[in-house]
Amino acid sequence: MAASGFCVISSVFLFLFRFILFSTKAVPVYSSHYCTGSLKFEPNSTFQTNLNLLLSSLISNATEGSHFYRTRVGSAAPNSVTGLFLCRGDTLSAACHDCVAGAATEIKQKCPVEKEAIIWYDICMLRYSNQSILNNIVPGVDLFNAKNVSVKELERFNELLANLLNGLASKAANSMEDNKFATGEVNLTRTETLYGLVQCTPELSSFDCKMCFSSAIASVPNCCDGKQGARVLLPGCNIRKESC
C-alpha cells in the first residue's frame, strides 16, 4: 500500500501511527508495560504453570481471526489466572498473532514473578491477573510525539481534536459489532489532516466503554496538549491522535 497510508513519527518513543489497514509484514513495536510489584509468585509454582498455560492459550486463539480473547486457567485462588489480548481493529490475523506471541514472550521477561501485568504494543495489548475482575482504567500510560502544533493553530486543533475523539468514542462504544473500534479524520488545514483512533475491549458494556474513553480523552490536555501525536493506553481502552 502507498506510503500515504502512514503517519510516521520521529519521537523519543519511536512509535508508528497508522489509520488504515495494517500490513501483515510489519513488525509489532513495543510501547510500554506495567508490572504490579506487590503480588509475586514463586518459580515453578502452580500459579506459574497456570500462567504459562494461559499465555499459550492466548497465542493459540490469536490465530482464529479474532481481535480479542479472554480466558481463565485454574479453578480457584490463589492459583487461578485470568488473561486477555486485544489487537487493533484494523489489524490482519497474521499480524495480530505475531504481536500476541511476541507480547506473551516479552511480558514474562519484563514481569518475571509478578501475579499481575500488562504490556502494550503498537497493534496489540496483552494482560493477565490473579484477579478475575479486571480494572479497566488503571494502570495507564501516555505516549506523545515531541513535535508541537503551531501556536496559531492550537485552539482550532484542540477543538477539532475534542470533537473527533468524542465522536469516535461514542461510535465505538455504541457499536453493535464485536469490535468496539473506530477511526476518523478531519481537515486541520488545506494541507494537514488530523487523524483519530479509539478502541475498547469488546467485553465492556457501552457504559463502561464510554467511561474508559472519557478517562483517556480527559488525560490528553495534561499529558499531550499541543502535541501533534499522542497515545493514551489504558487496560480497557486506548486512543490515538496524529496530525500530518
mmCIF file of all heavy atoms in Angstrom, residues 40-42 44-54 72-82 115 128-131:
data_model
loop_
_atom_site.group_PDB
_atom_site.id
_atom_site.type_symbol
_atom_site.label_atom_id
_atom_site.label_comp_id
_atom_site.label_asym_id
_atom_site.label_seq_id
_atom_site.Cartn_x
_atom_site.Cartn_y
_atom_site.Cartn_z
ATOM 1 N N LYS A 40 3.598 -11.365 44.063
ATOM 2 C CA LYS A 40 4.566 -12.153 43.306
ATOM 3 C C LYS A 40 4.304 -13.646 43.498
ATOM 4 O O LYS A 40 3.713 -14.056 44.491
ATOM 5 C CB LYS A 40 5.992 -11.818 43.752
ATOM 6 C CG LYS A 40 6.363 -10.338 43.603
ATOM 7 C CD LYS A 40 7.798 -10.090 44.015
ATOM 8 C CE LYS A 40 8.133 -8.602 44.013
ATOM 9 N NZ LYS A 40 8.051 -8.017 42.673
ATOM 10 N N PHE A 41 4.742 -14.434 42.529
ATOM 11 C CA PHE A 41 4.602 -15.886 42.641
ATOM 12 C C PHE A 41 5.979 -16.534 42.705
ATOM 13 O O PHE A 41 6.982 -15.962 42.271
ATOM 14 C CB PHE A 41 3.782 -16.462 41.477
ATOM 15 C CG PHE A 41 4.384 -16.224 40.109
ATOM 16 C CD1 PHE A 41 5.376 -17.056 39.600
ATOM 17 C CD2 PHE A 41 3.932 -15.171 39.319
ATOM 18 C CE1 PHE A 41 5.918 -16.852 38.343
ATOM 19 C CE2 PHE A 41 4.478 -14.953 38.051
ATOM 20 C CZ PHE A 41 5.463 -15.794 37.570
ATOM 21 N N GLU A 42 6.016 -17.732 43.238
ATOM 22 C CA GLU A 42 7.257 -18.483 43.353
ATOM 23 C C GLU A 42 7.556 -19.208 42.044
ATOM 24 O O GLU A 42 6.641 -19.722 41.389
ATOM 25 C CB GLU A 42 7.165 -19.493 44.492
ATOM 26 C CG GLU A 42 7.059 -18.870 45.875
ATOM 27 C CD GLU A 42 8.320 -18.128 46.273
ATOM 28 O OE1 GLU A 42 9.413 -18.553 45.822
ATOM 29 O OE2 GLU A 42 8.223 -17.124 47.000
ATOM 30 N N ASN A 44 8.322 -22.088 39.505
ATOM 31 C CA ASN A 44 7.894 -23.490 39.453
ATOM 32 C C ASN A 44 6.665 -23.760 40.317
ATOM 33 O O ASN A 44 6.402 -24.897 40.709
ATOM 34 C CB ASN A 44 9.031 -24.421 39.875
ATOM 35 C CG ASN A 44 10.264 -24.255 39.009
ATOM 36 O OD1 ASN A 44 10.162 -24.179 37.782
ATOM 37 N ND2 ASN A 44 11.438 -24.179 39.647
ATOM 38 N N SER A 45 5.891 -22.716 40.615
ATOM 39 C CA SER A 45 4.675 -22.867 41.415
ATOM 40 C C SER A 45 3.496 -23.220 40.512
ATOM 41 O O SER A 45 3.577 -23.156 39.279
ATOM 42 C CB SER A 45 4.372 -21.573 42.158
ATOM 43 O OG SER A 45 4.134 -20.521 41.229
ATOM 44 N N THR A 46 2.384 -23.578 41.135
ATOM 45 C CA THR A 46 1.166 -23.864 40.384
ATOM 46 C C THR A 46 0.706 -22.634 39.610
ATOM 47 O O THR A 46 0.227 -22.741 38.471
ATOM 48 C CB THR A 46 0.045 -24.331 41.324
ATOM 49 O OG1 THR A 46 0.473 -25.504 42.016
ATOM 50 C CG2 THR A 46 -1.232 -24.646 40.558
ATOM 51 N N PHE A 47 0.855 -21.464 40.219
ATOM 52 C CA PHE A 47 0.457 -20.239 39.527
ATOM 53 C C PHE A 47 1.273 -20.041 38.251
ATOM 54 O O PHE A 47 0.726 -19.685 37.204
ATOM 55 C CB PHE A 47 0.632 -19.023 40.434
ATOM 56 C CG PHE A 47 0.127 -17.745 39.818
ATOM 57 C CD1 PHE A 47 -1.179 -17.335 40.012
ATOM 58 C CD2 PHE A 47 0.962 -16.944 39.021
ATOM 59 C CE1 PHE A 47 -1.655 -16.161 39.435
ATOM 60 C CE2 PHE A 47 0.492 -15.783 38.437
ATOM 61 C CZ PHE A 47 -0.821 -15.387 38.650
ATOM 62 N N GLN A 48 2.572 -20.279 38.313
ATOM 63 C CA GLN A 48 3.404 -20.129 37.117
ATOM 64 C C GLN A 48 2.990 -21.133 36.036
ATOM 65 O O GLN A 48 2.953 -20.781 34.854
ATOM 66 C CB GLN A 48 4.878 -20.305 37.462
ATOM 67 C CG GLN A 48 5.781 -20.054 36.258
ATOM 68 C CD GLN A 48 7.251 -20.136 36.602
ATOM 69 O OE1 GLN A 48 7.671 -21.035 37.322
ATOM 70 N NE2 GLN A 48 8.040 -19.195 36.103
ATOM 71 N N THR A 49 2.678 -22.346 36.438
ATOM 72 C CA THR A 49 2.208 -23.343 35.467
ATOM 73 C C THR A 49 0.925 -22.869 34.791
ATOM 74 O O THR A 49 0.782 -22.956 33.568
ATOM 75 C CB THR A 49 1.955 -24.694 36.159
ATOM 76 O OG1 THR A 49 3.189 -25.169 36.704
ATOM 77 C CG2 THR A 49 1.416 -25.714 35.176
ATOM 78 N N ASN A 50 0.002 -22.356 35.599
ATOM 79 C CA ASN A 50 -1.262 -21.854 35.049
ATOM 80 C C ASN A 50 -1.040 -20.636 34.157
ATOM 81 O O ASN A 50 -1.704 -20.475 33.122
ATOM 82 C CB ASN A 50 -2.224 -21.509 36.178
ATOM 83 C CG ASN A 50 -2.776 -22.742 36.865
ATOM 84 O OD1 ASN A 50 -2.723 -23.835 36.320
ATOM 85 N ND2 ASN A 50 -3.307 -22.563 38.055
ATOM 86 N N LEU A 51 -0.096 -19.784 34.532
ATOM 87 C CA LEU A 51 0.208 -18.612 33.714
ATOM 88 C C LEU A 51 0.761 -19.025 32.356
ATOM 89 O O LEU A 51 0.368 -18.477 31.314
ATOM 90 C CB LEU A 51 1.213 -17.718 34.439
ATOM 91 C CG LEU A 51 1.741 -16.511 33.653
ATOM 92 C CD1 LEU A 51 0.608 -15.597 33.218
ATOM 93 C CD2 LEU A 51 2.776 -15.741 34.480
ATOM 94 N N ASN A 52 1.659 -19.990 32.347
ATOM 95 C CA ASN A 52 2.204 -20.473 31.076
ATOM 96 C C ASN A 52 1.118 -21.073 30.190
ATOM 97 O O ASN A 52 1.115 -20.872 28.973
ATOM 98 C CB ASN A 52 3.309 -21.492 31.336
ATOM 99 C CG ASN A 52 4.563 -20.859 31.919
ATOM 100 O OD1 ASN A 52 4.811 -19.668 31.729
ATOM 101 N ND2 ASN A 52 5.356 -21.649 32.628
ATOM 102 N N LEU A 53 0.190 -21.800 30.802
ATOM 103 C CA LEU A 53 -0.933 -22.365 30.050
ATOM 104 C C LEU A 53 -1.827 -21.262 29.497
ATOM 105 O O LEU A 53 -2.313 -21.342 28.364
ATOM 106 C CB LEU A 53 -1.753 -23.302 30.946
ATOM 107 C CG LEU A 53 -1.075 -24.616 31.351
ATOM 108 C CD1 LEU A 53 -1.915 -25.337 32.397
ATOM 109 C CD2 LEU A 53 -0.873 -25.505 30.124
ATOM 110 N N LEU A 54 -2.032 -20.242 30.297
ATOM 111 C CA LEU A 54 -2.855 -19.124 29.862
ATOM 112 C C LEU A 54 -2.231 -18.417 28.665
ATOM 113 O O LEU A 54 -2.910 -18.155 27.658
ATOM 114 C CB LEU A 54 -3.019 -18.124 31.011
ATOM 115 C CG LEU A 54 -3.732 -16.831 30.624
ATOM 116 C CD1 LEU A 54 -5.228 -16.968 30.858
ATOM 117 C CD2 LEU A 54 -3.195 -15.637 31.374
ATOM 118 N N ARG A 72 -9.511 -17.976 31.397
ATOM 119 C CA ARG A 72 -9.037 -18.170 32.770
ATOM 120 C C ARG A 72 -8.517 -19.590 32.915
ATOM 121 O O ARG A 72 -9.100 -20.537 32.380
ATOM 122 C CB ARG A 72 -10.179 -17.927 33.761
ATOM 123 C CG ARG A 72 -9.774 -18.083 35.231
ATOM 124 C CD ARG A 72 -10.984 -17.890 36.135
ATOM 125 N NE ARG A 72 -10.635 -18.016 37.552
ATOM 126 C CZ ARG A 72 -11.530 -18.016 38.529
ATOM 127 N NH1 ARG A 72 -12.817 -17.870 38.250
ATOM 128 N NH2 ARG A 72 -11.132 -18.136 39.788
ATOM 129 N N VAL A 73 -7.424 -19.743 33.631
ATOM 130 C CA VAL A 73 -6.848 -21.064 33.898
ATOM 131 C C VAL A 73 -6.748 -21.232 35.414
ATOM 132 O O VAL A 73 -6.254 -20.349 36.115
ATOM 133 C CB VAL A 73 -5.449 -21.206 33.263
ATOM 134 C CG1 VAL A 73 -4.823 -22.541 33.654
ATOM 135 C CG2 VAL A 73 -5.542 -21.077 31.745
ATOM 136 N N GLY A 74 -7.195 -22.369 35.907
ATOM 137 C CA GLY A 74 -7.214 -22.618 37.347
ATOM 138 C C GLY A 74 -8.610 -22.370 37.896
ATOM 139 O O GLY A 74 -9.282 -21.418 37.500
ATOM 140 N N SER A 75 -9.010 -23.195 38.823
ATOM 141 C CA SER A 75 -10.387 -23.130 39.305
ATOM 142 C C SER A 75 -10.589 -22.219 40.498
ATOM 143 O O SER A 75 -11.708 -21.763 40.754
ATOM 144 C CB SER A 75 -10.872 -24.549 39.666
ATOM 145 O OG SER A 75 -10.013 -25.123 40.652
ATOM 146 N N ALA A 76 -9.537 -21.927 41.235
ATOM 147 C CA ALA A 76 -9.722 -21.135 42.451
ATOM 148 C C ALA A 76 -8.448 -20.401 42.835
ATOM 149 O O ALA A 76 -7.339 -20.777 42.455
ATOM 150 C CB ALA A 76 -10.164 -22.043 43.602
ATOM 151 N N ALA A 77 -8.637 -19.317 43.608
ATOM 152 C CA ALA A 77 -7.490 -18.580 44.151
ATOM 153 C C ALA A 77 -6.766 -19.459 45.161
ATOM 154 O O ALA A 77 -7.371 -20.359 45.753
ATOM 155 C CB ALA A 77 -7.993 -17.304 44.818
ATOM 156 N N PRO A 78 -5.456 -19.259 45.325
ATOM 157 C CA PRO A 78 -4.626 -18.172 44.775
ATOM 158 C C PRO A 78 -3.907 -18.526 43.487
ATOM 159 O O PRO A 78 -3.041 -17.774 43.053
ATOM 160 C CB PRO A 78 -3.624 -17.950 45.901
ATOM 161 C CG PRO A 78 -3.382 -19.314 46.437
ATOM 162 C CD PRO A 78 -4.710 -20.017 46.365
ATOM 163 N N ASN A 79 -4.281 -19.665 42.879
ATOM 164 C CA ASN A 79 -3.513 -20.136 41.720
ATOM 165 C C ASN A 79 -4.195 -19.915 40.380
ATOM 166 O O ASN A 79 -3.609 -20.217 39.340
ATOM 167 C CB ASN A 79 -3.198 -21.626 41.888
ATOM 168 C CG ASN A 79 -2.269 -21.878 43.056
ATOM 169 O OD1 ASN A 79 -1.279 -21.172 43.237
ATOM 170 N ND2 ASN A 79 -2.599 -22.879 43.868
ATOM 171 N N SER A 80 -5.412 -19.389 40.383
ATOM 172 C CA SER A 80 -6.083 -19.116 39.116
ATOM 173 C C SER A 80 -5.534 -17.832 38.501
ATOM 174 O O SER A 80 -5.102 -16.914 39.206
ATOM 175 C CB SER A 80 -7.588 -18.992 39.330
ATOM 176 O OG SER A 80 -7.884 -17.926 40.203
ATOM 177 N N VAL A 81 -5.562 -17.764 37.192
ATOM 178 C CA VAL A 81 -5.059 -16.586 36.485
ATOM 179 C C VAL A 81 -5.979 -16.278 35.308
ATOM 180 O O VAL A 81 -6.373 -17.173 34.557
ATOM 181 C CB VAL A 81 -3.594 -16.793 36.022
ATOM 182 C CG1 VAL A 81 -3.449 -18.043 35.187
ATOM 183 C CG2 VAL A 81 -3.099 -15.574 35.261
ATOM 184 N N THR A 82 -6.341 -15.020 35.178
ATOM 185 C CA THR A 82 -7.202 -14.537 34.104
ATOM 186 C C THR A 82 -6.369 -13.696 33.142
ATOM 187 O O THR A 82 -5.504 -12.927 33.573
ATOM 188 C CB THR A 82 -8.346 -13.676 34.669
ATOM 189 O OG1 THR A 82 -9.136 -14.470 35.556
ATOM 190 C CG2 THR A 82 -9.231 -13.134 33.554
ATOM 191 N N LYS A 115 2.261 -11.351 39.727
ATOM 192 C CA LYS A 115 0.975 -12.019 39.522
ATOM 193 C C LYS A 115 0.014 -11.195 38.668
ATOM 194 O O LYS A 115 -1.065 -11.676 38.322
ATOM 195 C CB LYS A 115 0.309 -12.329 40.867
ATOM 196 C CG LYS A 115 0.903 -13.530 41.584
ATOM 197 C CD LYS A 115 0.009 -13.991 42.722
ATOM 198 C CE LYS A 115 0.482 -15.328 43.283
ATOM 199 N NZ LYS A 115 -0.443 -15.849 44.321
ATOM 200 N N TYR A 128 -2.541 -10.100 32.143
ATOM 201 C CA TYR A 128 -3.002 -11.213 32.968
ATOM 202 C C TYR A 128 -3.066 -10.752 34.413
ATOM 203 O O TYR A 128 -2.444 -9.758 34.805
ATOM 204 C CB TYR A 128 -2.084 -12.436 32.825
ATOM 205 C CG TYR A 128 -0.709 -12.259 33.412
ATOM 206 C CD1 TYR A 128 -0.467 -12.444 34.782
ATOM 207 C CD2 TYR A 128 0.377 -11.915 32.607
ATOM 208 C CE1 TYR A 128 0.797 -12.277 35.318
ATOM 209 C CE2 TYR A 128 1.638 -11.753 33.141
ATOM 210 C CZ TYR A 128 1.842 -11.934 34.505
ATOM 211 O OH TYR A 128 3.095 -11.767 35.031
ATOM 212 N N SER A 129 -3.843 -11.480 35.220
ATOM 213 C CA SER A 129 -4.012 -11.095 36.616
ATOM 214 C C SER A 129 -4.463 -12.293 37.435
ATOM 215 O O SER A 129 -5.130 -13.203 36.920
ATOM 216 C CB SER A 129 -5.062 -9.976 36.734
ATOM 217 O OG SER A 129 -5.326 -9.678 38.092
ATOM 218 N N ASN A 130 -4.128 -12.276 38.717
ATOM 219 C CA ASN A 130 -4.650 -13.282 39.637
ATOM 220 C C ASN A 130 -6.066 -12.935 40.079
ATOM 221 O O ASN A 130 -6.720 -13.721 40.762
ATOM 222 C CB ASN A 130 -3.740 -13.393 40.872
ATOM 223 C CG ASN A 130 -3.701 -12.106 41.682
ATOM 224 O OD1 ASN A 130 -3.623 -11.011 41.119
ATOM 225 N ND2 ASN A 130 -3.751 -12.238 42.992
ATOM 226 N N GLN A 131 -6.564 -11.761 39.656
ATOM 227 C CA GLN A 131 -7.923 -11.340 39.963
ATOM 228 C C GLN A 131 -8.843 -11.670 38.786
ATOM 229 O O GLN A 131 -8.450 -11.511 37.633
ATOM 230 C CB GLN A 131 -7.970 -9.832 40.238
ATOM 231 C CG GLN A 131 -7.030 -9.364 41.340
ATOM 232 C CD GLN A 131 -7.438 -9.891 42.705
ATOM 233 O OE1 GLN A 131 -8.621 -9.967 43.031
ATOM 234 N NE2 GLN A 131 -6.447 -10.276 43.508
#
